Amino acid sequence: MLTIFLSRLLRMVIVMLGISVITFLIFFATPGSDPAARIAGRNAAPETIAAVRHDFGLDRPLYVQYGLMMDRLFITRDLTSFANRGQKIVPTIMSAAPATLSLVAGAAILWMALGATTGIIAAAFRNRLPDKILMGASMMAVAMPVFWVGEMINLVTQSRLHDTWAFSWVPPLGYVPLTSDPAGWFFALVFPWICLALMYIGLYGRMLRTGIIETYQEDYIRTARSKGLSARRVLLKHATRTAIIPIVIMFGMDFGVLVGGAAVLTEVVFGINGVGRLTYQALKALDLPMIMATVLYASFFVVVANAIVDVLCVMIDPRMRQK
Amino acid sequence: MTSVSTDKLPPSPIGEGVSAPDGPWKRLLAGLLSSPTAVLSGIGLILILIAVLLAPLYANHVAHTDPFRSGLSAKIEVEGKTVPVMQRSTEGLGLGVTPIGPTWSGEYMLGADTQGRDVMARMLYGGRSSLLIAAASTVLTLALAAIIGVAAGYTGGLVDGVLSNLIDMMWAFPVYLLAISLSIVMIGKTFVLGPIELSSSSLIIPITIIGLVYVPYVARPVRGRVMTIKNSEFVLAARGLGVRRHRILMRHILPNVLSTLIVFAPMLTALNIVTESALSFLSVGVQAPNASWGTILQDGQSLLYSRPTVALAPGIAIMVTVLLLNLFGDVLRDVLDPKSARGR
């Protein structure tokens, strides 16, 4: 067990190293684009570009540039934005993280609960009306762009029906920190949670349904039924337990990706000042170091989430220990 | 190559009482035609395609407008009265203008955007860009994933080690953030790479970006498929007979990989439509003067509370197209991969 854990840790570090190199190369060595000119912003004077080039060490060899950048990101943590002068990048990202975490964690609880319910009910009523309705709704949920759903939610709750009894409690767009006002935090996040969770409910529901139906072909299910266990017990205790493993793996990936900033669209539509919106604003200001830092932060989150999921799977499923 | 006579082979195992048409393509077509879902969604997709291809006809003969030029001072006739397209606001201080809402007739059927342009005409032109980008980037993804997946799976050893690890690393990047990173280095000024010069409004930029980001997601299953086929009995038999490597690759491996790629095509196209709209919404996708469903959605955001049709229309267009593609893709997968349909 310990060796599995340690080898996974080592692999995680190697992957992170590789990711940092790839990210660095995308931003600073893409052929045909001059990073100094990008950092300096639109219509910058040649002197400014030269100053940027010297400041970021872009006149040195590539591996020195890489070393300098990693040093300023992870060791001294004093990388500053050029577009927003004086703004330190690492602390800015850290202060945006709680908003993103609040959004994603709440949505995750919602989508895991409703996704599992959808999948189990659909599998139990396979090819009958409840199954067809649920799968049709899931397909719709997967087909809608998340930011469009957000816009439509805003249209109804903030404008068209805001003055009616149904939605008058919806606070204006934005994020309220949990520590300052727990109730305000909750109410402000209700619709962002629903918006973000919708697609995943559809996705996970469909996946779980397929998984359960496939496990029903296995011999141990037949054995369980012939032992005289009730259909309900076999569905919930035997089939679902096996079918949920790929869902757990996918959940780890999705959660990591979203906390890392893939919730950018939801954050932008609902005005939540998280990591994703930070990336969006950096994008508008062409703040290259900030974007690079958020992308790195995001991918590290995914790598850590994957490693945790792998270790969890080994703990849940003894079959994986053999490898 | 001697031809093998088929009459000595046992009957086809595809189904009892069903005479299987000869050839995999005919079988595929027959499978699709026997499913009402596939036929209806296919017809729907063809209708959408025809509609967007007729965009110039609509703009010239029905809407009488150039959807790429702003029409801030344009006037149109509605129910016998001449009204300006950009209407003076009646609320608040009466400052500012609001574009005209849906007229539900030929001109400005879905209203105008902030530039006074006909939204319906832009929807059709935008649909062209959206569908073109989605289809082209799907082809790019499938081609690259096939090359990488086959190279890694068939060669094995060091090549496989390097490529698989690279795929794993790319997998860790959130797709949208990777796309944002790529677009910010490619969009902005003219992108110059040797003899290639791309202006920032070129559709090739979003096609390349969207095509690249999904490669790992297809390359990994392709690699797995190649490894399975490589060790299957019929390939081992061919090798035992002394068939050369590249012949095994062309005759045995590639045709079998092709079905995996075909299954991915509609789902990937659907995913690409959504990705394009998301990138355009974040202003790193399709650039002006081009339109796409994503850019119209972005135009609609500032008009959301006053003229919701501008945001509503492209969202519905995306949803319907993606839904049809996914429905079609589901049937396609079941026809090509009977194992996945087993439990149904």
Side-chain angles (χ1 to χ4, degrees):
Chain A
M1 197 65 195
L2 190 70
T3 44
I4 295 177
F5 188 70
L6 285 179
S7 72
R8 194 64 192 77
L9 205 68
L10 181 72
R11 197 176 148 65
M12 189 174 97
V13 173
I14 294 172
V15 171
M16 280 180 170
L17 208 67
I19 285 171
S20 71
V21 173
I22 296 174
T23 314
F24 175 80
L25 288 178
I26 290 177
F27 280 94
F28 290 95
T30 301
S33 82
D34 177 11
R38 306 266 156 167
I39 295 174
R42 294 184 182 94
N43 311 319
E47 303 88 72
T48 323
I49 296 179
V52 168
R53 189 164 288 141
H54 184 73
D55 187 35
F56 282 84
L58 297 179
D59 43 6
R60 317 259 289 270
L62 209 56
Y63 62 90
V64 179
Q65 290 178 32
Y66 171 77
L68 276 177
M69 188 56 85
M70 292 306 127
D71 176 49
R72 297 178 70 184
L73 265 177
F74 295 108
I75 297 163
T76 59
R77 298 181 172 205
D78 66 345
L79 186 65
T80 45
S81 155
F82 192 82
N84 275 323
R85 277 166 202 276
Q87 188 186 32
K88 289 231 189 317
I89 285 177
V90 181
T92 310
I93 293 180
M94 289 307 153
S95 68
T100 303
L101 203 61
S102 305
L103 171 67
V104 177
I109 293 171
L110 204 61
W111 94 57
M112 274 312 258
L114 292 182
T117 316
T118 307
I120 293 171
I121 293 179
F125 288 92
R126 175 163 30 131
N127 291 340
R128 276 181 283 157
L129 193 63
D131 178 29
K132 286 189 172 146
I133 292 174
L134 282 174
M135 286 305 104
S138 304
M139 252 191 151
M140 294 274 285
V142 175
M144 294 185 289
V146 61
F147 55 96
W148 183 71
V149 176
E151 282 188 346
M152 292 306 124
I153 288 177
N154 283 343
L155 177 64
V156 172
T157 63
Q158 299 284 342
S159 169
R160 291 297 186 265
L161 298 178
H162 185 65
D163 298 328
T164 65
W165 57 271
F167 298 115
S168 54
W169 56 272
V170 182
L173 299 181
Y175 173 70
V176 181
L178 175 64
T179 44
S180 69
D181 177 8
W185 172 85
F186 181 82
F187 287 126
L189 281 171
V190 168
F191 282 106
W193 282 336
I194 295 174
C195 174
L196 184 59
L198 211 57
M199 186 191 90
Y200 291 98
I201 295 173
L203 219 56
Y204 282 43
R206 284 177 67 82
M207 227 175 106
L208 187 61
R209 173 188 179 273
T210 315
I212 293 176
I213 290 173
E214 262 169 27
T215 16
Y216 264 96
Q217 314 286 322
E218 303 263 347
D219 290 339
Y220 75 92
I221 297 285
R222 200 179 310 138
T223 313
R225 283 295 280 148
S226 59
K227 275 198 305 193
L229 295 182
S230 70
R232 188 173 143 169
R233 198 181 161 87
V234 171
L235 173 68
L236 294 178
K237 291 262 164 171
H238 293 78
T240 306
R241 194 168 168 177
T242 313
I244 207 113
I245 289 176
I247 305 272
V248 172
I249 294 174
M250 208 161 92
F251 175 77
M253 290 276 294
D254 287 335
F255 190 80
V257 168
L258 285 173
V259 173
V264 47
L265 295 162
T266 316
E267 287 180 11
V268 169
V269 170
F270 289 102
I272 296 168
N273 286 314
V275 184
R277 189 140 183 269
L278 199 64
T279 317
Y280 177 68
Q281 281 158 347
L283 190 67
K284 290 257 161 186
L286 274 179
D287 193 346
L288 222 59
M290 178 65 96
I291 301 177
M292 193 189 73
T294 49
V295 171
L296 262 184
Y297 158 90
S299 29
F300 281 10
F301 242 105
V302 177
V303 175
V304 173
N306 278 353
I308 293 174
V309 166
D310 278 2
V311 173
L312 272 181
C313 280
V314 172
M315 282 157 74
I316 297 175
D317 190 347
R319 282 175 300 183
M320 292 193 188
R321 275 176 220 159
Q322 256 83 57
K323 272 200 284 187
Chain B
M1 187 81 194
T2 50
S3 66
V4 180
S5 106
T6 47
D7 49 15
K8 279 181 193 150
L9 290 175
S12 157
I14 295 172
E16 296 92 50
V18 181
S19 65
D22 40 349
W25 296 109
K26 275 188 186 163
R27 211 178 310 153
L28 175 62
L29 194 67
L32 288 176
L33 287 177
S34 68
S35 152
T37 316
V39 172
L40 288 178
S41 54
I43 291 175
L45 287 169
I46 290 170
L47 288 179
I48 292 174
L49 203 62
I50 292 174
V52 300
L53 285 177
L54 293 179
L57 227 60
Y58 179 86
N60 289 332
H61 298 288
V62 184
H64 308 292
T65 173
D66 178 354
F68 297 104
R69 251 208 347 248
S70 56
L72 294 174
S73 53
K75 285 181 171 31
I76 55 162
E77 229 168 82
V78 180
E79 290 163 2
K81 281 178 286 184
T82 308
V83 291
V85 169
M86 303 304 281
Q87 294 166 336
R88 197 159 282 283
S89 170
T90 48
E91 293 161 22
L93 297 171
L95 298 171
V97 283
T98 311
I100 193 169
T103 60
W104 306 117
S105 58
E107 290 174 348
Y108 292 97
M109 184 161 112
L110 296 176
D113 63 10
T114 43
Q115 303 285 313
R117 299 172 296 199
D118 187 318
V119 173
M120 185 61 204
R122 282 180 71 76
M123 281 289 298
L124 294 178
Y125 276 103
R128 284 181 153 195
S129 310
S130 288
L131 296 182
L132 177 69
I133 290 172
S137 43
T138 301
V139 172
L140 184 64
T141 306
L142 293 180
L144 288 175
I147 293 170
I148 293 174
V150 170
Y154 194 57
T155 321
L158 185 68
V159 177
D160 185 28
V162 171
L163 287 177
S164 302
N165 274 308
L166 207 64
I167 291 175
D168 281 358
M169 280 175 199
M170 298 300 283
W171 198 292
F173 285 99
V175 166
Y176 288 151
L177 293 189
L178 184 60
I180 287 174
S181 314
L182 287 173
S183 18
I184 195 141
V185 293
M186 289 178 83
I187 295 173
K189 291 174 187 163
T190 309
F191 182 80
V192 188
L193 181 60
I196 310 165
E197 252 184 58
L198 296 176
S199 83
S200 60
S201 66
S202 168
L203 289 187
I204 294 178
I205 292 178
I207 289 173
T208 313
I209 291 166
I210 298 171
L212 284 178
V213 292
Y214 288 113
V215 169
Y217 297 84
V218 186
R220 195 133 102 176
V222 168
R223 172 181 169 272
R225 183 102 178 92
V226 171
M227 304 251 284
T228 320
I229 302 167
K230 191 172 80 171
N231 295 319
S232 65
E233 280 174 356
F234 74 96
V235 171
L236 292 179
R239 270 172 59 194
L241 287 170
V243 179
R244 269 163 313 192
R245 274 175 76 86
H246 79 266
R247 198 178 166 82
I248 292 183
L249 193 66
M250 301 307 281
R251 301 269 323 190
H252 299 302
I253 308 266
L254 285 185
N256 282 297
V257 168
L258 201 61
S259 69
T260 308
L261 295 179
I262 293 175
V263 168
F264 268 107
M267 295 184 220
L268 207 54
T269 311
L271 202 58
N272 288 344
I273 291 177
V274 177
T275 312
E276 179 279 316
S277 71
L279 290 181
S280 296
F281 179 74
L282 296 174
S283 68
V284 286
V286 173
Q287 302 292 310
N290 276 319
S292 78
W293 287 338
T295 64
I296 301 171
L297 259 170
Q298 197 204 13
D299 294 338
Q301 211 199 358
S302 58
L303 295 169
L304 188 58
Y305 297 152
S306 53
R307 294 281 178 250
T309 343
V310 184
L312 208 62
I316 291 172
I318 292 171
M319 191 177 79
V320 170
T321 314
V322 169
L323 204 60
L324 291 174
L325 278 166
N326 282 338
L327 286 170
F328 187 80
D330 269 4
V331 179
L332 191 66
R333 188 195 53 212
D334 294 346
V335 171
L336 282 173
D337 181 11
K339 235 194 313 187
S340 73
R342 212 174 42 177
R344 279 155 192 269

